[in-house]
Amino acid sequence: MKAAIIGYGKMGREIERILTERGHEVALVIDTDNAGELDAEHLAGIDVALEFTTPATAYANIRTCLENGAAVVSGTTGWTDRLAELQELCRERGGALFYASNYCLGVNLMFRINRQLAAMIGRVGGYGVRIEEVHHTQKLDAPSGTAITLAEGILDNLADKQGWVNYAPGIAHATNRVERSEDTPADRIEIRSVREGAVPGIHTVTYESADDMLELKHTIKNRRTLAMGAVVAAEFLCGKQGVFGMDDLLK
């Protein structure tokens, strides 16, 4: 597989190491200092581009790849209100696009369990629900894409919840932000965002009644698990056409 890496931070470097270990060629690396090289000339012959950048640049990066015939695996979060546009472009062009908010296998198993648990709680009733996500201080978006995916899985299965808000102390740019936890409306799921140290990612879904509490929790130990999932997704996507996600990979 001839790969391009778009975004050469810690994640991009880990992806490069795994691609090389698995016998693939890293033919192009794009970062802020050579962003102009993401063009038709440099994408020629690229089988799959792995895009892990920023919310401000992801849309343009992915669109450029699709317009120039390169399949794309993306894990950038915080911009997906425009994802449907790129999925439609992908279909129109006969391209290939794989998007996931989190590439860790354990997290994606959590997504499935989360949906099933929400459905069961909905049948039982009597429980409130909240989500907490903890990440390193360099994470640019809040809440995390993983937390949003967890919230969406709950919303699909709990009729009394109509959306989510973000209680994010100290994170002024947080989406759907509430200033205090007490401000969370009863029909909204509260996502609490915490930024501390070098934490790769901790996500906890908590159901609490007057009498007990149930928690579903996942902790990422290191960034390698995310990079490995992205490379496996790229191998899965190579040679395909269409729009895919982790559910397709895990079938």
Side-chain angles (χ1 to χ4, degrees), residues 46-50 65-66 69-73 95-98 237-240:
I46 294 295
D47 294 310
V48 182
L50 294 97
C65 290
L66 292 173
V72 190
V73 169
L97 173 61
F98 190 113
L237 191 65
C238 190
K240 289 184 172 64

Short mmCIF file of all heavy atoms in Angstrom, two decimals, residues 46-50 65-66 69-73 95-98 237-240:
data_model
loop_
_atom_site.label_atom_id
_atom_site.label_comp_id
_atom_site.label_asym_id
_atom_site.label_seq_id
_atom_site.Cartn_x
_atom_site.Cartn_y
_atom_site.Cartn_z
N ILE A 46 -1.07 7.66 -4.95
CA ILE A 46 -1.35 7.36 -3.54
C ILE A 46 -2.58 6.45 -3.43
O ILE A 46 -3.63 6.75 -4.01
CB ILE A 46 -1.59 8.65 -2.73
CG1 ILE A 46 -0.31 9.48 -2.66
CG2 ILE A 46 -2.10 8.33 -1.33
CD1 ILE A 46 0.84 8.84 -1.92
N ASP A 47 -2.45 5.35 -2.72
CA ASP A 47 -3.59 4.45 -2.53
C ASP A 47 -4.53 4.97 -1.45
O ASP A 47 -5.74 5.00 -1.64
CB ASP A 47 -3.09 3.05 -2.14
CG ASP A 47 -2.30 2.39 -3.25
OD1 ASP A 47 -2.80 2.37 -4.39
OD2 ASP A 47 -1.19 1.90 -2.97
N VAL A 48 -3.97 5.35 -0.31
CA VAL A 48 -4.78 5.81 0.82
C VAL A 48 -4.05 6.93 1.55
O VAL A 48 -2.84 6.82 1.81
CB VAL A 48 -5.08 4.68 1.82
CG1 VAL A 48 -5.96 5.19 2.96
CG2 VAL A 48 -5.74 3.50 1.16
N ALA A 49 -4.79 8.00 1.89
CA ALA A 49 -4.25 9.07 2.73
C ALA A 49 -4.85 8.95 4.12
O ALA A 49 -6.07 8.75 4.26
CB ALA A 49 -4.60 10.43 2.12
N LEU A 50 -4.01 9.04 5.13
CA LEU A 50 -4.48 8.99 6.51
C LEU A 50 -4.44 10.41 7.06
O LEU A 50 -3.36 11.01 7.20
CB LEU A 50 -3.61 8.05 7.34
CG LEU A 50 -3.72 6.57 6.92
CD1 LEU A 50 -2.57 6.19 5.98
CD2 LEU A 50 -3.73 5.65 8.13
N CYS A 65 -8.17 15.32 -1.38
CA CYS A 65 -7.83 13.93 -1.65
C CYS A 65 -8.89 13.27 -2.54
O CYS A 65 -8.56 12.61 -3.54
CB CYS A 65 -7.69 13.16 -0.35
SG CYS A 65 -6.24 13.61 0.63
N LEU A 66 -10.15 13.43 -2.19
CA LEU A 66 -11.23 12.81 -2.96
C LEU A 66 -11.28 13.34 -4.38
O LEU A 66 -11.51 12.58 -5.34
CB LEU A 66 -12.57 13.03 -2.27
CG LEU A 66 -12.77 12.32 -0.92
CD1 LEU A 66 -14.07 12.77 -0.26
CD2 LEU A 66 -12.75 10.81 -1.09
N GLY A 69 -8.63 11.58 -6.47
CA GLY A 69 -8.63 10.13 -6.60
C GLY A 69 -7.96 9.34 -5.50
O GLY A 69 -7.72 8.14 -5.68
N ALA A 70 -7.65 9.98 -4.38
CA ALA A 70 -7.02 9.26 -3.28
C ALA A 70 -8.07 8.88 -2.23
O ALA A 70 -8.86 9.73 -1.80
CB ALA A 70 -5.93 10.11 -2.64
N ALA A 71 -8.09 7.63 -1.83
CA ALA A 71 -8.95 7.19 -0.73
C ALA A 71 -8.47 7.85 0.56
O ALA A 71 -7.28 8.17 0.70
CB ALA A 71 -8.91 5.68 -0.60
N VAL A 72 -9.39 8.06 1.49
CA VAL A 72 -9.04 8.78 2.72
C VAL A 72 -9.56 8.06 3.96
O VAL A 72 -10.72 7.66 4.01
CB VAL A 72 -9.64 10.22 2.74
CG1 VAL A 72 -9.06 11.01 3.92
CG2 VAL A 72 -9.39 10.94 1.44
N VAL A 73 -8.67 7.93 4.94
CA VAL A 73 -9.04 7.52 6.29
C VAL A 73 -8.85 8.74 7.17
O VAL A 73 -7.75 9.30 7.24
CB VAL A 73 -8.15 6.36 6.79
CG1 VAL A 73 -8.37 6.13 8.29
CG2 VAL A 73 -8.42 5.09 6.00
N GLY A 95 -15.21 7.44 -5.14
CA GLY A 95 -14.04 7.35 -4.28
C GLY A 95 -14.27 6.47 -3.07
O GLY A 95 -15.21 5.69 -3.00
N ALA A 96 -13.38 6.63 -2.09
CA ALA A 96 -13.46 5.84 -0.87
C ALA A 96 -13.12 6.72 0.32
O ALA A 96 -12.11 7.43 0.32
CB ALA A 96 -12.51 4.65 -0.94
N LEU A 97 -13.98 6.67 1.34
CA LEU A 97 -13.80 7.49 2.54
C LEU A 97 -14.16 6.66 3.76
O LEU A 97 -15.23 6.05 3.82
CB LEU A 97 -14.68 8.74 2.48
CG LEU A 97 -14.73 9.62 3.73
CD1 LEU A 97 -13.35 10.17 4.08
CD2 LEU A 97 -15.73 10.76 3.54
N PHE A 98 -13.26 6.64 4.72
CA PHE A 98 -13.47 5.93 5.99
C PHE A 98 -13.34 6.97 7.09
O PHE A 98 -12.31 7.60 7.23
CB PHE A 98 -12.41 4.83 6.15
CG PHE A 98 -12.66 3.89 7.29
CD1 PHE A 98 -12.96 2.55 7.04
CD2 PHE A 98 -12.57 4.29 8.61
CE1 PHE A 98 -13.18 1.66 8.07
CE2 PHE A 98 -12.77 3.41 9.65
CZ PHE A 98 -13.08 2.08 9.38
N LEU A 237 -9.68 -0.25 3.53
CA LEU A 237 -10.24 0.66 2.52
C LEU A 237 -9.57 0.53 1.17
O LEU A 237 -10.19 0.79 0.14
CB LEU A 237 -10.11 2.10 3.03
CG LEU A 237 -10.86 3.18 2.25
CD1 LEU A 237 -12.36 2.99 2.35
CD2 LEU A 237 -10.47 4.57 2.76
N CYS A 238 -8.31 0.14 1.17
CA CYS A 238 -7.52 0.11 -0.07
C CYS A 238 -8.21 -0.74 -1.14
O CYS A 238 -8.53 -1.91 -0.92
CB CYS A 238 -6.13 -0.44 0.24
SG CYS A 238 -4.97 -0.25 -1.13
N GLY A 239 -8.47 -0.13 -2.29
CA GLY A 239 -9.09 -0.83 -3.41
C GLY A 239 -10.61 -0.83 -3.40
O GLY A 239 -11.22 -1.34 -4.33
N LYS A 240 -11.21 -0.23 -2.37
CA LYS A 240 -12.68 -0.20 -2.28
C LYS A 240 -13.23 1.13 -2.77
O LYS A 240 -12.50 2.12 -2.91
CB LYS A 240 -13.13 -0.43 -0.83
CG LYS A 240 -12.93 -1.84 -0.30
CD LYS A 240 -13.50 -1.97 1.10
CE LYS A 240 -13.49 -3.42 1.60
NZ LYS A 240 -12.13 -3.96 1.74
#
